[in-house]
Structures are given as C-alpha cells and as structure tokens.
Amino acid sequence: MKADSRLAETDRLTTAFEQLRPQLFQVAYGILGGVADAEEVVQDAWMRLQRADSERIESLPAWLMTVVARLSLDALDSARHKRESYVGEWLPEPLVAGLNEESPEDRITLDESVAAALLIVLERLSPAERTAFLLHDSFGMPFAEVAELVGRSSDSVRQLAARARRNVAAAKPRFPATREEQARIVSAFATACAAGSLEQLLDVLDPTVVMRSDGGGRVPAARLPLHGAERVAGALLALERKRLRDGRPLSVQLANVNGALGVVTYDGIALNVMSFAFDDGRIVAIDNLRNPEKLTHVVAPGR
C-alpha cells in the first residue's frame, strides 16, 4: 500500500508541476534572459520537489515559484559577471515559435511577461527590482513572500516594485500595434529590405528608431546601438548589399518572437532573429540577435 501511495503522490506532483511549468519557465526566463538557463532552473526545481516532503508544502505553486526565483537569482549572480566582459550589446535569448507555419501572425500571443522590450527594461533593473516586479506584478505573489525571498522588508519591496513599474511604464508604446498592424508593418519591412529600398524602409521606421545587435564577438555585429531611421536603414541595406555581393541566398520567415511578430533569416552561414517594438504604426526598436550560441534552440527557416 505504501508503494501505491508513493506512486500516486508522484503522479500528483508530476501532473501539478507540468501544469505550472510554463509559468515557472517565464519567471526564470524573465530573471535570467536565457532559454537554456531558464529550462535548467525549472528542471532543478523539479528535482528539489522530488526530494522535498510534499506533505509539508502548503501551496505547491507558491513553493515552486519561490524555489525557481531563488535558483534564478543565484544563477544571475554568475551570469552578470560573464556579461561584464561580453563583447558588444547583450540581448536576451529569443523565444521563437511559428516557424515554417503558413500564418504565424495568426498565432501571436501577446504575453507581456516575455516581451522582448520588457526584457530589455528588466535588464537595466537591479536583481531585486526585477524579481519584485515579475513576481508581484506579473505573477501575483504577495509582497510579504517576495520580501522574504529577496531579503528585504515588505515596504522596501513595494518601493522596488513601484520603481520597476515606472521604468516599465515609460518604455511601453503609446499606441500598441494590433496583430494585423504587426503583420502589415513586418511584411513591409521585409519587403523593403529585400528590395533594397531606402524609401520603403523609412516608411516603416520611426524617426527615433533604435537598433541593437548582439553578435557576442562570434559574428560581425554593431557593438553599440544605432539610433535614427536613416542610420538604421542604411545599416540594414548595407548588410543586404554585402549578402548579395557574397552570393548567399537568403531564407526569410515570419515568426512569433517573444509574443510579437518578428523575422528569422538564414543566409547559409548566419542565422538572425529580429524582434520589434511597435508604436503608432511604425517600428521604434529592432533587436537583432546574431550570436549563434544564443540561437541553438532556433531552427533555420526551411529546415
């Protein structure tokens, strides 16, 4: 009977954990900005749950959320040291879905907790601010529990979350793009790049657009952000001209990148994932992920 009881408890925990896995991944990913790192943290949490006395766990979701957050903060300490010596811009690894599907724009899920623009903002916050915002504002954890996790008072955590909230609010678009608008803008962007048309590109880029590129020192990429529509468009068209001179055919695929419509390209050598931020019908930010070490989980278009 004891063996049957243990088996039933294991089945119960497995089912509950799998139901919570997407949320746990989002917490870890939001703190760490890495797909493999987040998956490792979630798996570590599962191993700890198997070793724990489940009968003493009052709330499994709260227990797992706390474990994942603690493990993520521990992992972030070592990750931040690596980022200090990172070559060029550091961008979060992209979450890509919808590749090789006929209409990925129809499958966009606007989950703000993993939006690329939000992750960029979170990267500028302190670990405590980031954790307080994610756990309380995105996942509803009470301030008292967040305070215990980060080793601060509840009032201090409220202030951390409020400060983070202001930074996030300042970065949000005034006029967000609908799914249909995203499809129109990104399609026009891809068409303009393929045609080498400066005029068409300028039509879809906001005058104050910023483009960040992450090559990690592994592939050519601008080490500093590019600002302004003409400068960004010029850089994009220069890359396209170089590809044509080198005779490398380009595969282009629209895909869901962190909950919004993006572009994945492959020229036989380099795999790129572009995510966009939209406001008032135009592109206001482009994050161009080129570092192959951060794209091992992404399948090249047409493969």
Side-chain angles (χ1 to χ4, degrees):
M1 292 295 292
K2 288 185 178 180
D4 291 342
S5 179
R6 284 196 298 269
L7 182 60
E9 178 63 5
T10 299
D11 289 344
R12 182 187 73 83
L13 292 176
T14 300
T15 299
F17 183 84
E18 289 304 320
Q19 290 175 344
L20 292 168
R21 183 186 288 272
Q23 188 177 29
L24 298 174
F25 174 84
Q26 288 182 27
V27 171
Y29 178 70
I31 294 175
L32 294 170
V35 175
D37 291 339
E39 290 175 342
E40 184 176 340
V41 162
V42 173
Q43 186 61 28
D44 194 353
W46 166 241
M47 299 298 292
R48 292 180 182 229
L49 176 59
Q50 289 181 304
R51 297 193 298 267
D53 184 355
S54 59
E55 292 183 358
R56 294 191 175 187
I57 299 176
E58 294 183 5
S59 170
L60 186 59
W63 187 90
L64 284 169
M65 193 80 70
T66 300
V67 169
V68 165
R70 281 188 177 136
L71 291 171
S72 299
L73 287 172
D74 289 343
L76 184 61
D77 285 338
S78 60
R80 291 179 82 86
H81 290 303
K82 294 179 182 178
R83 291 175 196 176
E84 289 173 0
S85 59
Y86 196 80
V87 178
E89 284 283 300
W90 183 94
L91 295 175
E93 294 178 14
L95 290 177
V96 180
L99 275 174
N100 302 318
E101 293 179 3
E102 292 185 1
S103 301
E105 64 271 21
D106 293 333
R107 301 175 65 86
I108 294 173
T109 54
L110 298 176
D111 189 336
E112 291 189 352
S113 68
V114 297
L118 173 61
L119 293 174
I120 295 296
V121 175
L122 294 180
E123 180 63 21
R124 302 182 189 129
L125 306 178
S126 71
E129 287 175 333
R130 188 187 313 191
T131 304
F133 174 81
L134 280 171
L135 294 183
H136 180 267
D137 285 47
S138 296
F139 298 104
M141 181 179 284
F143 279 124
E145 294 180 19
V146 179
E148 183 179 352
L149 174 64
V150 299
R152 307 283 185 95
S153 68
S154 291
D155 287 342
S156 176
V157 169
R158 288 179 186 274
Q159 293 174 4
L160 289 171
R163 193 155 55 237
R165 200 177 298 124
R166 287 193 295 270
N167 280 278
V168 171
K172 284 188 174 182
R174 295 170 302 159
F175 306 103
T178 64
R179 291 192 303 176
E180 292 75 16
E181 288 171 332
Q182 289 185 34
R184 175 184 60 79
I185 296 167
V186 174
S187 294
F189 172 87
T191 299
C193 288
S197 172
L198 177 63
E199 183 178 353
Q200 291 179 33
L201 260 183
L202 293 177
D203 281 343
V204 297
L205 297 177
D206 186 86
T208 63
V209 64
V210 57
M211 183 168 75
R212 296 171 286 258
S213 297
D214 181 344
R218 306 290 179 179
V219 295
R223 296 197 176 188
L224 294 174
L226 301 179
H227 295 270
E230 291 194 3
R231 193 176 181 195
V232 169
L236 290 167
L237 294 181
L239 288 173
E240 178 63 13
R241 287 193 295 270
K242 184 178 186 307
R243 183 191 65 77
L244 291 173
R245 285 197 304 270
D246 294 342
R248 300 199 304 268
L250 185 68
S251 298
V252 181
Q253 178 71 53
L254 301 186
N256 301 330
V257 182
N258 288 76
L261 195 61
V263 173
V264 180
T265 63
Y266 181 65
D267 63 9
I269 297 176
L271 176 66
N272 287 16
V273 175
M274 282 188 176
S275 61
F276 304 98
F278 310 92
D279 197 355
D280 200 16
R282 289 188 171 186
I283 295 170
V284 295
I286 303 172
D287 288 329
N288 187 20
L289 209 304
R290 294 174 52 80
N291 185 348
E293 292 186 349
K294 292 186 174 183
L295 299 174
T296 56
H297 61 290
V298 180
V299 178
R303 288 194 167 189

